[in-house]
Amino acid sequence: MKTTVVIPTYNKWHLTFQLIRDIVNNSPVDEILVVDNGSSEQHAPYDCPVRELKIAENVGFLMASNLGMHQAAG
């Protein structure tokens, strides 16, 4: 069975990078899927394997989470 962590995010990339780093270092997950919920900030590339789903506008936490779950491999 595969495990996917879905992370809906809106800006505050420094916090998202910290969360991803903690997950990679402490959890055996198969996939990390970041759902960019219409962020206006630019961000650096991820330093680990992460799949990103970009949404053009902010659809809210719940909708972004559901969209990510539908795209998850795990």
Side-chain angles (χ1 to χ4, degrees):
M1 179 166 66
K2 289 188 172 191
T3 305
T4 300
V5 174
V6 177
I7 305 171
T9 187
Y10 179 74
N11 294 325
K12 304 206 182 205
W13 288 103
H14 63 286
L15 297 175
T16 303
F17 280 106
Q18 286 176 341
L19 176 59
I20 291 169
R21 198 170 305 122
D22 287 344
I23 291 169
V24 168
N25 291 334
N26 298 304
S27 301
V29 299
D30 298 303
E31 175 185 45
I32 298 174
L33 175 59
V34 175
V35 182
D36 180 355
N37 199 5
S39 295
S40 58
E41 292 180 350
Q42 297 295 320
H43 66 86
Y46 299 103
D47 56 356
C48 61
V50 172
R51 197 159 57 105
E52 187 173 20
L53 172 63
K54 292 186 179 230
I55 302 172
E57 63 183 47
N58 190 330
V59 294
F61 178 82
L62 186 60
M63 180 64 81
S65 298
N66 286 335
L67 289 169
M69 287 190 328
H70 289 310
Q71 296 292 318

